[in-house]
Structures are given as C-alpha cells and as structure tokens.
Amino acid sequence: GVVLLERLSDAQRNGHRVLAVVRGSAINQDGASNGLTAPNGPSQERVIRQALANAGLSTADVDVVEGHGTGTTLGDPIEAQALLATYGQGRSEDRPLWLGSLKSNIGHTMTAAGIASVIKMVMALQHGQLPKTLHVDEPSSHVDWTAGAVELLTEQRSWPDTGRPRRAGISSFGISGTNAHVIVEQGPEVENGTDGDVPGPVVVTDGTVPWLVSAKSQAALGEQARRLLDHLDRFPDVSPTELGHALVAGRSVFDHRAVVIGREPEDFRGGLAALAAGEPSARVVTGTAAAGPGRTVLVFPGQGSQWLGMGVELMRSSPVFAEHVTACAAALEPFTDWNLIDVLTQVPGAPGLDRVDVVQPALWAMMVSLARLWEHLGVMPDAVVGHSQGEIAAAHIAGVLSLEDSARIVALRSQAITGIAGRGGMVSLSLATAVAEELIVRWVGRVVVAAVNGPSVTVVAGDADALEELLAHCEGEGIRARRIPVDYASHSPHVHALHDELLELLEPIEPRPATVAFYSTVSGRVGGPMVDTTVMNAQYWYDNLATTVDFQTATRSLLDDGHTLFVEASPHPVLTSAVQETTEDHPMGEQILVTGTLRRDDDTWQRVLASLATAHTHTTVNWPGFYPATRPTHLDLPTYPFQHQHYWIEHTSVATDPQAIGLHSADHGLLGATVALAGGEGHLFTGRLSLRSHPWLVDHAVHDVPLLPGTAFIELALHAGQVIDAPHLEDLTLEVPLALPAIGGVQLQVHVGAVDEAGRRSVTIHSRPDDAV
C-alpha cells in the first residue's frame, strides 16, 4: 500500500483529489516488557491520547477504530482494554465507539497491518459504511466490555452524517514494542465543474477533443484502451469532455502513446475498440516517444499546396486561426486590389487561385496562420526553414520581418512575376541533382536546376519550349517527370529582368535580428542558422526568387544541428516526402518525425488534432488547453494495466515421448527418462542439462563457471530412490563438480544398482559433454 501525503492547502491548490485527511498521529515505544511480542496496555493508552491531542480532538469525536488485532488471547484483551480506557470514556451509550479489524478479512497482515487498515478506513469514509468484522462468534470473555462504550462491528452499519466530518482511528503495533496510532478524517467536499467566473478552454474547437492514452508497452496500451471501453459501459452518462479532461489532467504520459480523437461518445468507442484490437483507425494516432529531447522545425513550402476553400472550415471553428488570417488580410490590403477573405471563401467576383499574384499571398497567409496555430497548441519552433516563397512566411515567424514587411514582399513580388509569365515553366524530376544536371546539358542556357528538394527530387526551370522537349524525352526514357502548374520560370535567368523593379519595390523593408533560428535555402547562403538576419534586405529577396533553392542542404544542416521534428505548416503537405527522404541516410534518421498540418479538402479539427497527435511523441503539446481551466470532475478512471510475467521455473522434458523408444518418463525437471535394466541390475535415469534448457543454473557459479549445485545431486539421488521405493539417502560423495558449458550441454546418467544383502542400493551419477565420443 502507498499513501501519498501532501499538505491539505497544497493539495487543494494543485487540484489533487483528497481521499482523506490525516487529522493527527502519534508513535511511542513500550521499552522493556515481559517478552518480545507482549503488548503493553499503558503504552497503547498513551499513544491514543497523544494522537487525539495532536489532532485537537476528544475521544467522542472519533466514530470507529480499526484495531491492530493480534489475534491472540494475550494481545487482543490488552488492546481492547486500552480502547475502553480511552475511546470508551466520555461518550454517550447511543454512540459507542465501533471496533473492527482488517485481519478478520484477510488474515495476519504482518508489516502491512497499518497501511492496509488505512486503505480500509479511507474506503469506508468514501462509501459511508462501517464494514463488518468477520468470524466473531462472541466478544472475548477476557475483556470487561462494560468498562466503556465500545462495541464490535459484527454487522455492517451505515456511517451516518452527524454534521461533522467522519473520523476513524487506526492502531498498528510492531513486534519490537513500537505503537502507532493515526486519526483519519473525511476529506473536504470538492466542487466540480466550472462557474461563470472561471475561464473555459484556451483552445476552442468545433467540439472535437483528444483523449490521451499511454503505457510503458504496446500490450499495456491496448489493455488500457480495453479498460477505458469497460469504463464507458459502466458510466455511460460521462461526457467525452469530462473523461478527456480527466485523462489529460490526471495521468502520467509514458513512451507508448495514443490519441483518440472525436466529438461524440461513439467516436471514442470506435477509436478505443480499434486501439484495443491493434487495428488502424482514422480516429486514433499512435506512436512511441523519441529516445531523447530534440528540436522542432516549422517548414514552409513554396507553391503547390493550395486548394479551393482552404482554411475556410478552420476559420469558422478556430478563433485563433481566424484572428491571424484576418490580420494577414489587413496586412495585404495596402498592396492588393482584392480581399483575402473573399478569395478564400470564393465570394463571387473575387479573383481565383490560378493567378500567381493571388495564390502566393493566399498561401503566405495560410502558412503564417497555421504556424501561429501550432504555437497556440503548444508546439513552439526552435528553427524555421522555407522553400522559395515559403521563406517569406518563415522570416516572419522567425521575427526577421514584421507582418507588414512580409506582406509587402509576397504581394509586390508576386505581382512583379506576372511580367515574366507566359514564357517559361517548371518541371519536377525524380532524379538526383547530379543526374538531372547531366540530363539537361542538351538544353544548356535554356533549362537550369531551380530547386534541390531531396536526394531524388530536383526541379528544373526554363524556356517553355525547351521544357516540352524535356518532358517528351523523359517519357521516352521512362524518367518520372511532372510539369508544375505555373507559366513562369522562377529560380532561373528569366528572373533577371525583374532585378531593378524588385529592389525598388522592396527597398522599404526593415529586416530585424531573428528570435527563432532561420535556416536559409538561398543558393550561397545555405548552412547553419543565419547569424545576421538584418542583411535580409531587398537584394536577399531578389536572390530568393532568382537563384537555386537548396532545400536539401538546409534540411541536412537542421538534422546535423539536432532537429528531430519537422512540421510542414501548409494547407497540404508537399515537402514532407522530400524531408523524409533526406533523413533516410542520416545517422539520426530513425529518430526523425515529419508531419504536415492540413490536407487537401480537409481543414477540420479532426485533421489538425491528427497532426498534433503525431507530433506528440517528439514535443510538448498544450493538451490541457483543450479543456476548462479548472480541475476536472473526479472520475474513478481505470488503473494502470500492469503486464504480468511469470518467473517460475518451468518443467523441461528432454524426451518428447520416452515411451515411443521403450523408456518411461522420469517426471522430473532435471531428468528426461528412466528404464529398468534387464537381469535385475537396477535402474538407469537419463537427462540432459544446459544453460539454455535450465537458465537458472547460470546463477550458481564459481569463478564465473556455472556448476550444478550439490543439492541438485541430492535431489537426483532422492528422486531415483523414490521411484524404486528406496526413499532414504544414507551418504553421497561428490568427487568432481559438474561444470556446464556456455554452449551446448551435458548428458546425465543416474544409475541405481541392485539390492545388496543389507537391503541397500548403490547410486552413481555420471555426466559427459554432448560432443563426447
């Protein structure tokens, strides 16, 4: 039994459930007595009075005492007389002290006597019942029960509410003469739920909430899910929010983790059933915690993650996301002739995402707002990295650009790109960069490498007609190639025509020192985090558009610097596969986790929570923020499902079926077969020993050499004797120790000779290695 003690005021402030209050306690020592185990009545009286004084109570303030109950004709009368002399005095006859003892329920409890009684009385306090003391035929005749108002609990009784807290005294006496007495009191009433003055959840959703389940093994995780399912059956009226709150606030988080996501009770039933059965479910995300703490990266892609209606559902259900989208719309307004919210919600007359000067600012707003949502959910970035236009959003999240400067760059630069539209394009090749460079040699000056995304993903850009020829060539050679739906050639010489215009348009920006590590993907600047981000002026943002995007090298730098969680903050993941591929040949590859945020046509809280749950194994998440800012309603959640393992030595039989080869089973853990020798020459018992079949033998070693214990030789001889009705061993001499090899085993023979004139039999035990001839 375990008692967790905390100062009452601290427990109430920390929101811990108070099972009972230790009102007072005392301990003393009998000193010399008339025997080691003989109790001392006066000492027991003194320890009770000391505990009452410590509690500031009178004897009448305690309703019941859980006696130590030695179960002896000496100890029980002494304890009863001490109780009569203390608790039995000064109380009315209609309110006697009730006396019970746990030993009547479970037998002698040895060193657990005191704590077991505490558990019993705490449960009695909670249920308002005084448990029956078993096996009492009649009160002891060695006790004068008329000396005080004390009665045995021979029947279960209700523990009435008298207008004051219920209280119980508990006695426990040590064999050495130590006496202990504690008084436990009913805990204070706890008001559950919230009132109008208490703030609600920090994270507001559409009603979707997470249930956290974790364990120390995969088997225990499934069993925990089964127990929660049973709990739902027993308490069908508990709401998903109540149970989810209790799981978040009252449970430790172990390495094997699962998050069940839903709104209605049936959502959670289905998810828990799948988790218990080890089956996949869209409502369950599982994972194992990383081996050690790592760092988190927010990844911002370039163009390609857009879809009609992106973010609209999330704006309706998440005030925080909507707030940041609105702020982005206000920041874009001075630089555009259209409204971001109108574009996202597809208001009639609003421009579409097919325009580069619309789609890039819209994606920028999505990425910035999703990054702020991740922060709101507790996932704070240690670093950011952006691909092409994604760097504009990354720079804002890193603190390098204000929201207004970031909006200026994405809006005005995308408008400038329309000046080179219609003359070029971009193609993604499933090739390593070196191979891609060899492939495009025939179009030198017309096609260049625009982006290096991963070990086998390279993007090229250039003249539209040259790209058509490249695509035709790739189709003929069986090379995977995909046209990117743009009509301009970013990250190519086509952008040179915009140099002077971009420097003039972006001259007003004022870059600042980064507050979050910023990893550049601009060719010539790739490596560790930029030390001086104040140089990210108009020229930098021109280079960002004109030069090669070296995303792969930036990813490797992040990996080398200990970043283990990569979160793509976009409406649809477009870089997760490239990041994952880059991690595969990295020493930290197995520790890396890559996840997106939303998916095409799915911007629900179910999707957000699935991404958040995926990240849960590698970072801290603000799970309590999904629930009211009060302690949760108390629920007796299922206890931890400890996984049991048996350590008994199991019988190992050498022969599968001895009778099949003319022998009999020896029915012994060290012997496999026995046979009566012909001609009355005695009996032979055989077996085989090895550290593999009998692993416990490794614990009996001399100078690191495992030996068969001497008692095993005695056991072998006695067993053989019992089989032939000669159960007495007179003498046994061990001539040579039986050493067991590290590999292989030894063959064993126990020979019992014929009966001699004195009625005795000789017994010999021999062994030899498996490979002996």
Side-chain angles (χ1 to χ4, degrees):
V2 175
V3 171
L4 176 62
L5 292 177
E6 188 175 22
R7 193 185 302 272
L8 178 59
S9 58
D10 292 341
Q12 292 173 321
R13 184 177 62 255
N14 295 331
H16 294 155
R17 184 188 179 203
V18 178
L19 300 179
V21 176
V22 179
R23 182 62 186 264
S25 64
I27 190 169
N28 68 15
Q29 167 62 245
D30 288 346
S33 68
N34 63 348
L36 179 62
T37 61
N40 184 283
S43 291
Q44 292 182 20
E45 292 181 31
R46 284 194 296 270
V47 81
I48 290 171
R49 291 193 174 97
Q50 289 168 357
L52 286 167
N54 179 258
L57 300 173
S58 69
T59 55
D61 293 324
V62 176
D63 307 308
V64 61
V65 164
E66 178 71 6
H68 179 78
T70 61
T72 65
T73 55
L74 173 65
D76 283 353
I78 291 176
E79 181 176 6
Q81 288 161 6
L83 292 170
L84 286 163
T86 52
Y87 284 114
Q89 308 304 309
R91 59 196 312 139
S92 61
E93 292 184 1
D94 61 337
R95 291 190 59 194
L97 177 83
W98 295 104
L99 175 60
S101 177
L102 182 69
K103 290 187 177 67
S104 73
N105 299 96
I106 61 175
H108 206 292
T109 47
M110 298 297 290
T111 54
I115 192 63
S117 296
V118 168
I119 294 171
K120 176 183 174 182
M121 284 295 100
V122 168
M123 295 182 72
L125 286 168
Q126 292 176 338
H127 289 275
Q129 295 289 324
L130 296 172
K132 174 183 177 180
T133 296
L134 306 181
H135 313 301
V136 178
D137 297 327
E138 60 182 18
S140 171
S141 60
H142 300 285
V143 177
D144 180 8
W145 295 101
T146 65
V150 175
E151 291 189 25
L152 297 177
L153 276 165
T154 54
E155 297 294 336
Q156 179 171 305
R157 293 178 175 272
S158 63
W159 196 339
D161 185 356
T162 61
R164 62 163 173 78
R166 300 183 180 103
R167 299 187 184 97
I170 300 164
S171 291
S172 184
F173 310 137
I175 196 172
S176 61
T178 299
N179 304 308
H181 193 77
V182 64
I183 299 170
V184 295
E185 181 177 277
Q186 184 179 3
E189 292 294 328
V190 177
E191 295 183 4
N192 294 315
T194 62
D195 55 39
D197 297 328
V198 178
V202 174
V203 180
V204 177
T205 73
D206 60 354
T208 304
V209 292
W211 282 12
L212 270 63
V213 186
S214 70
K216 290 193 173 184
S217 70
Q218 193 65 34
L221 188 65
E223 180 59 29
Q224 190 76 284
R226 279 186 284 273
R227 292 190 178 194
L228 282 170
L229 269 175
D230 293 340
H231 185 86
L232 291 180
D233 292 336
R234 293 197 304 272
F235 304 99
D237 295 333
V238 176
S239 72
T241 300
E242 287 178 312
L243 200 147
H245 196 183
L247 288 171
V248 166
R251 287 297 171 95
S252 299
V253 179
F254 298 110
D255 287 349
H256 291 266
R257 302 174 184 178
V259 179
V260 185
I261 305 164
R263 296 177 63 178
E264 305 299 330
E266 290 309 310
D267 297 340
F268 294 100
R269 285 183 180 276
L272 289 173
L275 180 59
E279 299 173 350
S281 169
R283 295 197 174 279
V284 180
V285 178
T286 61
T288 305
R295 298 177 181 175
T296 299
V297 184
L298 284 183
V299 180
F300 300 87
Q303 206 163 314
S305 64
Q306 68 272 11
W307 47 276
L308 290 177
M310 60 182 180
V312 174
E313 175 63 29
L314 194 56
M315 280 192 288
R316 295 193 185 106
S317 58
S318 172
V320 168
F321 181 73
E323 173 190 345
H324 287 287
V325 173
T326 302
C328 288
L332 288 170
E333 188 174 1
F335 310 110
T336 63
D337 58 359
W338 45 266
N339 179 269
L340 174 66
I341 306 299
D342 291 346
V343 169
L344 295 176
T345 56
Q346 303 174 64
V347 171
L353 297 178
D354 55 334
R355 283 172 44 179
V356 62
D357 61 323
V358 175
V359 67
Q360 289 196 1
L363 283 175
W364 166 83
M366 285 291 102
M367 290 188 286
V368 167
S369 301
L370 288 174
R372 295 306 185 197
L373 181 61
W374 276 101
E375 293 175 346
H376 177 61
L377 298 176
V379 180
M380 308 300 293
D382 297 291
V384 296
V385 64
H387 186 291
S388 187
Q389 72 177 67
E391 274 202 347
I392 305 173
H396 170 60
I397 299 301
V400 177
L401 296 175
S402 66
L403 186 66
E404 292 70 22
D405 279 352
S406 188
R408 174 188 291 273
I409 295 171
V410 73
L412 298 184
R413 201 178 74 169
S414 63
Q415 293 168 16
I417 290 176
T418 60
I420 59 173
R423 298 189 295 108
M426 305 180 80
V427 170
S428 176
L429 301 173
S430 296
L431 296 173
T433 302
V435 178
E437 287 175 337
E438 293 180 7
L439 176 65
I440 62 175
V441 166
R442 67 185 67 188
W443 295 283
V444 63
R446 301 169 64 199
V447 177
V448 298
V449 171
V452 181
N453 292 349
S456 63
V457 182
T458 303
V459 178
V460 297
D463 299 344
D465 57 346
L467 292 178
E468 287 294 339
E469 297 172 13
L470 172 63
L471 287 167
H473 175 79
C474 289
E475 183 177 0
E477 296 295 324
I479 300 171
R480 290 183 59 186
R482 177 180 60 85
R483 177 184 289 278
I484 297 174
V486 296
D487 64 348
Y488 50 87
S490 296
H491 313 289
S492 79
H494 284 215
V495 181
H496 295 172
L498 306 177
H499 179 268
D500 294 343
E501 178 184 0
L502 289 178
L503 292 188
E504 181 181 351
L505 288 172
L506 306 184
E507 193 276 334
I509 67 171
E510 298 179 354
R512 302 172 296 195
T515 56
V516 175
F518 180 91
Y519 283 69
S520 176
T521 58
V522 174
S523 180
R525 297 179 181 268
V526 185
M530 288 188 65
V531 177
D532 182 11
T533 55
T534 61
V535 300
M536 294 173 64
N537 52 19
Q539 180 64 46
Y540 178 90
W541 295 108
Y542 166 79
D543 293 340
N544 167 271
L545 180 65
T547 64
T548 302
V549 179
D550 195 351
F551 184 75
Q552 179 185 357
T553 300
T555 302
R556 290 191 182 278
S557 296
L558 286 159
L559 293 171
D560 292 341
D561 291 344
H563 297 87
T564 58
L565 173 61
F566 289 75
V567 176
E568 183 174 331
S570 70
H572 184 79
V574 294
L575 287 177
T576 54
S577 59
V579 174
Q580 190 65 57
E581 187 181 9
T582 304
T583 68
E584 289 175 357
D585 62 349
H586 193 275
M588 292 180 59
E590 294 184 357
Q591 304 175 39
I592 307 303
L593 179 67
V594 185
T595 185
T597 306
L598 305 180
R599 290 189 181 276
R600 198 172 307 280
D601 298 321
D602 188 359
D603 58 350
T604 62
W605 270 104
Q606 170 78 23
R607 179 69 259 160
V608 173
L609 277 171
S611 300
L612 187 65
T614 302
H616 174 47
T617 57
H618 280 62
T619 189
T620 300
V621 174
N622 181 24
W623 295 119
F626 287 86
Y627 298 98
T630 60
R631 58 176 173 268
T633 300
H634 170 69
L635 299 174
D636 283 320
L637 294 176
T639 55
Y640 184 84
F642 291 101
Q643 300 299 291
H644 302 285
Q645 183 175 352
H646 293 282
Y647 290 93
W648 300 111
I649 298 171
E650 296 183 0
H651 171 70
T652 302
S653 177
V654 176
T656 303
D657 185 8
Q659 290 185 344
I661 52 176
L663 306 174
H664 294 284
S665 173
D667 194 24
H668 191 270
L670 301 178
L671 297 170
T674 179
V675 63
L677 299 178
E681 295 299 322
H683 284 71
L684 182 66
F685 298 81
T686 63
R688 180 180 180 276
L689 303 178
S690 73
L691 297 181
R692 183 172 182 179
S693 61
H694 300 80
W696 53 272
L697 290 172
V698 75
D699 294 328
H700 187 268
V702 178
H703 297 297
D704 296 327
V705 177
L707 303 176
L708 186 70
T711 52
F713 287 99
I714 296 174
E715 167 65 22
L716 290 169
L718 285 174
H719 178 75
Q722 288 174 342
V723 171
I724 60 173
D725 196 24
H728 300 290
L729 180 65
E730 184 175 287
D731 187 34
L732 184 68
T733 302
L734 180 62
E735 295 183 356
V736 179
L738 197 169
L740 296 163
I743 300 176
V746 295
Q747 299 170 9
L748 194 66
Q749 289 187 1
V750 179
H751 177 251
V752 181
V755 180
D756 61 15
E757 296 178 354
R760 293 181 173 85
R761 293 174 182 264
S762 63
V763 59
T764 58
I765 303 175
H766 296 84
S767 67
R768 70 175 185 178
D770 282 341
D771 55 3
V773 180

